[in-house]
Amino acid sequence: MTVIPLGVPRRLLEFTLDGEPVRAPEGSTILDACRAAGKDVPTLCEGDTLTPKNACRVCVVEVEGARTLVPACSREAEPGMEVRTDTERARHSRKIVLELLASSVDLSTTPKVAGWLKEYEAKPDRFGPDAARLNEEPRVDNELYVRDYDKCILCYKCVDACGEQWQNTFAISVAGRGFDARISVEHGAPLTDSACVYCGNCIEVCPTGALSFKSEFDMRAAGTWDESARTETTTVCAYCGVGCNLTLHVQDNDIVKVTSPHDNPVTHGNLCIKGRFGYQHVQNRD
């Protein structure tokens, strides 16, 4: 029988969340506590496999005694703190952030954003037709995945996944300043001329669809992408003996993309090029 070590239990902290006493394990963030309490605090840049960057500022909440709103994704819960998630100040801040994001980038493939825009009564159109937008064409320079910077919110999750937090390839970084800032490879070269190893771990963490499978991109362009018709099956990658888990996304009896469970202790959502993109032989019916 395999014995799984439980580790040292974490001390529970007590604090107040929207007027109700709550407990959270030491080291938990305010966002962790909100989710445990069933409170829907919106966030775009937070990822469960990455260190928070506080980039999108959609998850801000009020903390008693704090001069400014604090990002719930990175602020650790402290004993005795008083947190309010749905104050007028917090809601107004989220509304402005959502308006600025939606007026400058395409959020059409970002999950939950349409509901948040409605909930916070955000009106991106109020900036008028002259509001600055990226208006860049998608970059299709390989057969595996597409970069559509018109949907990029500069959350830096792809940079972290490619860099020291997971892949350690460092193929991409932020180039430019201000409104001209972009996620880019060295010298803005095509992806095929870069250090990219095509693991696709950047796609896994992208929250907006700025990075997507070529198969998904083509199906969306053709109007055939239908998430309601998709099934998901988790299996084990057969390419080597590591034991990575693959989740196969199937539509019309074809694998349309591959992801990996974030809670899997082997992969934590990460795969190599073969695991993420090497599925064509499975559906070769010749």
Side-chain angles (χ1 to χ4, degrees):
M1 183 179 71
T2 302
V3 178
I4 301 176
L6 296 178
V8 178
R10 291 190 291 173
R11 182 168 62 96
L12 291 178
L13 306 176
E14 295 186 2
F15 63 100
T16 302
L17 184 61
D18 289 334
E20 298 291 333
V22 295
R23 288 185 172 185
E26 189 176 29
S28 297
T29 63
I30 294 175
L31 185 60
D32 293 333
C34 289
R35 287 172 173 170
K39 295 184 180 294
D40 182 24
V41 175
T43 180
L44 289 172
C45 71
E46 185 267 345
D48 56 356
T49 63
L50 297 167
T51 302
K53 278 288 193 203
N54 315 326
C56 75
R57 315 302 289 189
V58 179
C59 70
V60 290
V61 296
E62 278 201 73
V63 174
E64 185 69 27
R67 179 177 60 85
T68 61
L69 295 171
V70 302
C73 66
S74 62
R75 178 68 178 268
E76 287 193 5
E78 300 173 6
M81 72 184 335
E82 296 183 21
V83 180
R84 294 186 296 276
T85 66
D86 201 38
T87 64
E88 181 180 354
R89 186 185 181 194
R91 292 183 63 87
H92 181 70
S93 177
R94 293 173 193 161
K95 173 185 176 180
I96 297 299
V97 170
L98 288 169
E99 286 179 339
L100 291 172
L101 286 175
S103 68
S104 59
V105 299
D106 177 9
L107 299 180
S108 61
T109 55
T110 306
K112 298 184 178 182
V113 159
W116 292 339
L117 291 172
K118 183 178 180 179
E119 178 183 353
Y120 293 100
E121 300 180 345
K123 297 178 174 59
D125 294 339
R126 73 184 180 89
F127 297 110
D130 296 328
R133 295 187 65 90
L134 295 180
N135 292 325
E136 289 190 10
E137 290 297 319
R139 301 189 183 191
V140 186
D141 52 17
N142 66 90
E143 291 300 315
L144 299 182
Y145 72 94
V146 175
R147 297 175 291 163
D148 187 354
Y149 290 143
D150 202 37
K151 297 179 179 179
C152 178
I153 62 170
L154 291 175
C155 66
Y156 309 110
K157 292 170 73 174
C158 58
V159 176
D160 289 340
C162 183
E164 61 183 8
Q165 292 196 36
W166 286 117
Q167 190 62 27
N168 285 292
T169 298
F170 300 96
I172 55 178
S173 186
V174 180
R177 303 177 68 180
F179 196 79
D180 293 325
R182 300 287 187 277
I183 304 297
S184 177
V185 303
E186 189 174 7
H187 303 304
L191 209 61
T192 49
D193 296 334
S194 72
C196 177
V197 296
Y198 297 96
C199 62
N201 294 331
C202 54
I203 307 174
E204 185 76 36
V205 299
C206 179
T208 64
L211 301 172
S212 64
F213 279 74
K214 179 70 160 49
S215 54
E216 177 180 348
F217 177 82
D218 291 341
M219 292 177 69
R220 285 187 183 276
T224 58
W225 183 260
D226 185 1
E227 294 189 6
S228 64
R230 252 190 8 233
T231 60
E232 298 180 7
T233 302
T234 298
T235 183
V236 178
C237 182
Y239 277 108
C240 72
V242 172
C244 298
N245 277 199
L246 311 179
T247 298
L248 309 179
H249 298 250
V250 179
Q251 181 180 325
D252 298 328
N253 206 32
D254 281 333
I255 300 172
V256 293
K257 71 175 183 178
V258 176
T259 60
S260 183
H262 289 197
D263 59 355
N264 182 266
V266 176
T267 62
H268 297 287
N270 300 296
L271 294 169
C272 71
I273 182 175
K274 291 184 289 186
R276 196 174 302 277
F277 295 108
Y279 55 81
Q280 290 77 10
H281 66 285
V282 177
Q283 51 204 31
N284 188 346
R285 299 179 177 89
D286 296 336

